[in-house]
Amino acid sequence: MPIKLDPENNEISALFGLAKLDGRHVLEVGCGDGRLTWRYADRGGHVVAIDPFEESIIQARNALPQNLKERVEFHHAAFSDFAASRPASTFDTVILSWSLC
Amino acid sequence: MVHALEEAHRLLTPDGFLVDIHPVPEAPNIEVRQGGKLLLSEPYPAQSVEDYRQADRAIESAIERRLFAAPGRNHFDFLTYASSASELRDFFKKTGAYDQTPKDQTVEARKAELFSRVDQLIKSTGAAAEVIFVERAQVAVLRPIA
């Protein structure tokens, strides 16, 4: 049996219980292989997802569903470097995905 | 951590919001279930939950400094399912490959002992069982104060 991560969707249910992402410009920090990204990206207007580990970003890009290719972009970057390269007030939502700790 | 919150604040539009997801500072649990029946439930010998406490403190600090308003919060259980302790251990090795934190050998020995007992229990049942890693986590939504 392959590893199953949160098949009950408890995480995304807890998130959607607090916030709507519909149509928003989202930055996800610490996206890993896109595990969480896929679960909300069809609601976001546009998603920029970053992770400091290149292998994870390669996996995420390879697994990117066709229907999300226009909406989601993955970048191999540390948050501090990425933030320094972007102007203020760029995103409607920033998600720190298990990355603050 | 505080710097990350400052950067997030700068990147957000005035009507935007920050979502933070991280585990609560308590030990996760390991369970073994077979057909819905709970065969084992024990705390996982986590090395430290100090990082999670620091994340909580960073958020509180950002609120005190009026970067963000007090958040709305939800808690949830993040469950990871495996068919054996070995499979779960291999998964942790892969996902933690980037973790540079020095390993506490006492904790590592307790993990190995627990994984061994779990695999023995699964073998003894003679039927399919699941190993479940239960991690309590929280979602906080914080709105920036201009």
Side-chain angles (χ1 to χ4, degrees):
Chain A
M1 174 181 91
I3 293 280
K4 289 185 288 186
L5 297 171
D6 189 28
E8 300 85 359
N9 286 317
N10 291 338
E11 182 181 34
I12 202 69
S13 297
L15 170 56
F16 287 160
L18 287 173
K20 292 194 187 308
L21 300 179
D22 303 45
R24 300 183 74 90
H25 190 197
V26 178
L27 169 65
E28 183 183 344
V29 180
C31 63
D33 62 3
R35 173 191 64 75
L36 178 63
T37 318
W38 314 136
R39 299 191 186 193
Y40 70 82
D42 60 338
R43 299 187 182 207
H46 188 79
V47 178
V48 176
I50 66 170
D51 198 281
F53 301 113
E54 189 169 21
E55 187 181 329
S56 298
I57 289 297
I58 291 169
Q59 288 176 12
R61 284 179 180 146
N62 290 340
L64 181 59
Q66 189 67 35
N67 65 320
L68 294 177
K69 287 198 168 167
E70 299 295 317
R71 287 189 181 193
V72 180
E73 54 183 280
F74 288 102
H75 295 278
H76 167 219
F79 182 37
S80 55
D81 297 335
F82 179 84
S85 71
R86 299 289 166 128
S89 302
T90 301
F91 296 95
D92 300 315
T93 301
V94 174
I95 300 176
L96 301 178
S97 180
W98 303 65
S99 56
L100 187 57
C101 44
Chain B
M1 293 181 188
V2 173
H3 184 64
L5 293 170
E6 290 170 347
E7 294 283 21
H9 181 274
R10 190 184 71 81
L11 289 174
L12 280 168
T13 55
D15 63 344
F17 57 83
L18 170 70
V19 177
D20 172 62
I21 307 172
H22 71 258
V24 300
E26 60 187 48
N29 222 44
I30 288 272
E31 295 180 358
V32 178
R33 290 182 181 271
Q34 184 182 42
K37 184 180 172 187
L38 183 64
L39 303 180
L40 177 143
S41 177
E42 286 191 25
Y44 181 71
Q47 183 161 328
S48 171
V49 293
E50 184 54 30
D51 286 352
Y52 309 150
R53 286 200 185 94
Q54 286 183 17
D56 285 342
R57 283 197 287 267
I59 289 174
E60 294 309 317
S61 171
I63 293 166
E64 284 170 13
R65 292 171 52 208
R66 299 193 54 76
L67 279 177
F68 293 98
R73 281 197 171 97
N74 267 341
H75 290 82
F76 64 96
D77 287 327
F78 190 93
L79 275 56
T80 301
Y81 292 80
S83 57
S84 69
S86 306
E87 186 180 45
L88 186 64
R89 186 186 56 219
D90 290 346
F91 173 72
F92 286 160
K93 271 187 190 166
K94 186 180 165 196
T95 56
Y98 309 113
D99 185 1
Q100 301 298 312
T101 309
K103 301 291 184 200
D104 181 317
Q105 293 308 311
T106 305
V107 173
E108 293 304 303
R110 288 173 56 210
K111 285 180 188 174
E113 187 274 332
L114 176 57
F115 282 139
S116 174
R117 272 194 295 120
V118 167
D119 272 341
Q120 285 173 14
L121 175 62
I122 289 175
K123 278 180 191 162
S124 72
T125 62
E130 287 181 314
V131 185
I132 308 165
F133 185 76
V134 182
E135 198 164 20
R136 190 78 175 149
Q138 67 175 347
V139 179
V141 171
L142 300 104
R143 298 192 181 274
I145 298 172

